[in-house]
Amino acid sequence: MINDIKLRSAFAAAILGIMTGVLFTGSASASGDAVKLAKQEWSFKGIFGTFDRGALKRGYQIYAEVCAGCHSLDFVAYRNLQEIGLDEDTVKEIAAEFEVEDGPNDEGEMFMRPARPSDRFVAPFANEKAARASNNGAFPPDLSLMAKARKGGPDYLYGLLIRYHEEAPDGHEIAEGMNYNEVFPGHQIAMAQPLYDETVEYEDGTPATMQQHAKDITTFLTWTASPEMEARKKLGIKVLLFLLVWTGMLIALKKKIWAKLH
Amino acid sequence: MKLVNKVVLPVLDWVDYRLPVFSYARKNLIDFPEPKNLNYWWNFGSLAGIVLMIMIITGFFLAINYTPHTDYAFASVEHLMRDVNYGWLLRFMHANGGSMFFILVYIHMFRGLYYGSYKAPRELLWIIGVAIYLAMMGTAFMGYVLPWGQMSYWGATVITSLFSAVPLIGDTIVTWLWGGFVIDNNTLTRFFVGHYLLPFVILGLVVVHLWALHHHSSNNPLGVEIKTPGDTIPFHPYYTIKDMLGLSVFLIFYLGFVFFAPDFFGEPDNYIEANPLVTPPHIVPEWYFLPFYAILRSIDNKLLGVIAMFAGVCILFALPWMDRCRVRSAKFRPIYRQFFWIFVANCLLLGYIGAQAAVEPFVTIGRISTAYYFAHFLIICPLICKFERPIEPPESISAGVLEAEKGA
């Protein structure tokens, strides 16, 4: 049965080949002038990874105090904040700071009311045109899915947030009102450097460095992009453990049944 | 036991006499004689069938939560991911299931190529299989459009525009596919309907595929026909347990992606809502289309490129008449066996080229690789058949199995 062994290893090689093909697709399309992203140690990495609750709360604070001025978070509702550890009353208070249009009322008029926990995050601008008008023609993208919508994911976001240069290096022309960023494709980004040391004051005593800020907001945005991650991994471990045991039993059973043939 | 003997069995007999479902199931799922020497490469057909069922079931639940409208499609998928109980599980099982389906079917097809499963009397079985593969490609393409992300939109733009290469009626076909003069809501609704309809066409084809399969039973690693009942073993319990074991191992692989790397096969760009005004820097099809994408791009003329791409798939229909060697299994075909592996490597190379930007040296490599792909079927297979001197296969399956046991 030498052929079978050969075939088996060939199968393994083929699967590997497919995998590398897919991986190459990723790296090749990201090439061009993309820089190498430093891999960070994320609390949510690996099959047992979970979101660092402190980082999530600090990250939300950064979103609220820094990002929310320009960036929407369309797919997240205020009630979702309870999942990162804010209590119900705090969530109600946070929601009530914003106004949403509702109606029509019995008179047929639309009216404004304070947002409720069930409402989605209120966007800073009414529409894309308004956003562009306030941002030098640039459109600040929605951040809900940002951590999944860029190659490199969290490492990309982190790199983007900390790798600004005040002066563009020689040979790079930067247009009026634009900024030089090492990580952004083309290096010319409309967003000014958003985070510095002590941009936000933390309540829990965490040192407020720029790196810490970047790490916290990235953790928060990874949660907004994949709020199911913890439940997914938890269920996955159970399912895979079951399947491993089940496979072991089936191997034994298969051997037993086939033994009758010989 | 009394209840079973007195009530259940007579009822079953009554039904079976009028509609022989039970004896039919017994004949085809329990007693069915399969060659006794099938190896694990024969697991992939039934695995693909199971994945088809998983796709149809998860797809049903996705569809009841999905809104086929350009304004709501993207948001409805996010609603499913965030607000529907286990919506993320359904979607990730479906999205990764698509990739799994192709992995399984590609292995299944290469299995057929290696062991000559397309040869008489299984030509139609093979042809129906290629039809299933074509229907899968259409289904997968339309399904990828539904989340209405950037790759959905631009992938649809690239692929549907190919039809404009058809002489005279090309533009009419494109307008008809789009349901208008641009890709818009009409396109999305018809793709949704198509994506829901085609899987049932696949299901129908699978039934015919199995019908043909069960007429002459499976081919086997030795490639010799069943001659005596001693060559066979009943499907149950031997192959039911073997298929279940294979399924379990496959599920570990599949669900590993679903739970721990659900976006592995996806493109980050598809988490950006479709925007007709912003073209992504690299539009790449899903990985399972890459070899054919490479063929398409290898030819400068648009029409010829499109013809070559479709010919790349359709040439498989003609395979039973390209390779007329009377010996089926590559085990006994020393030369064909080597060219088979070169062909596999060439397919992987084409897939790699399909993922690269259209620059040198990839363009030239892609052209050579494309030429080789067609040459394998049109030149190499017939030539091998003419000049190869196959090793004489064993008399029967039993003889072959005995021989192998002695050798080992």
Side-chain angles (χ1 to χ4, degrees), chain A residues 30-80:
Chain A
S31 65
D33 62 348
V35 270
K36 225 178 135 48
L37 296 167
K39 292 228 181 288
Q40 303 299 314
E41 275 308 312
W42 299 108
S43 58
F44 47 82
K45 239 165 77 168
I47 64 169
F48 298 107
T50 54
F51 293 115
D52 174 344
R53 286 297 182 281
L56 281 181
K57 280 193 203 171
R58 293 193 297 273
Y60 165 68
Q61 186 187 354
I62 295 166
Y63 171 75
E65 292 180 24
V66 183
C67 319
C70 302
H71 291 279
S72 56
L73 204 55
D74 285 345
F75 296 119
V76 184
Y78 294 107
R79 67 181 156 81
N80 295 134

Side-chain angles (χ1 to χ4, degrees), chain B residues 147-210:
Chain B
W148 208 241
Q150 274 288 69
M151 261 327 148
S152 301
Y153 179 88
W154 290 98
T157 307
V158 171
I159 301 297
T160 50
S161 301
L162 293 179
F163 290 92
S164 68
V166 177
L168 300 174
I169 51 167
D171 288 330
T172 317
I173 294 176
V174 173
T175 308
W176 178 75
L177 281 173
W178 287 352
F181 299 107
V182 286
I183 293 188
D184 208 339
N185 201 46
N186 290 343
T187 324
L188 182 57
T189 48
R190 61 191 54 205
F191 277 28
F192 177 59
V193 172
H195 185 68
Y196 207 102
L197 175 73
L198 269 188
F200 295 98
V201 174
I202 296 178
L203 192 62
L205 287 168
V206 166
V207 170
V208 185
H209 194 63
L210 288 175

Side-chain angles (χ1 to χ4, degrees), chain A residues 7 11 120 224 232 247 258, chain B residues 41 82 107 115 238 248 259:
Chain A
L7 266 184
F11 170 56
R120 300 284 167 106
T224 63
R232 165 158 58 78
T247 304
W258 278 70
Chain B
W41 296 104
R82 289 156 195 271
I107 295 173
Y115 291 111
Y238 297 106
S248 192
F259 286 114

Side-chain angles (χ1 to χ4, degrees), chain A residues 77-115:
Chain A
Y78 294 107
R79 67 181 156 81
N80 295 134
L81 291 173
Q82 276 180 259
E83 293 158 30
I84 67 168
L86 302 187
D87 61 64
E88 205 181 335
D89 292 328
T90 316
V91 171
K92 273 187 187 158
E93 279 166 33
I94 289 170
E97 286 167 27
F98 298 89
E99 291 227 301
V100 292
E101 192 181 43
D102 205 342
N105 62 14
D106 291 344
E107 278 78 50
E109 307 285 336
M110 301 303 280
F111 60 91
M112 299 301 283
R113 62 157 174 82

Side-chain angles (χ1 to χ4, degrees), chain A residues 211-232:
Chain A
Q211 282 78 5
Q212 187 65 45
H213 288 330
K215 242 182 155 160
D216 291 343
I217 184 66
T218 302
T219 305
F220 176 72
L221 291 180
T222 305
W223 170 76
T224 63
S226 309
E228 87 296 345
M229 182 194 281
E230 289 181 354
R232 165 158 58 78

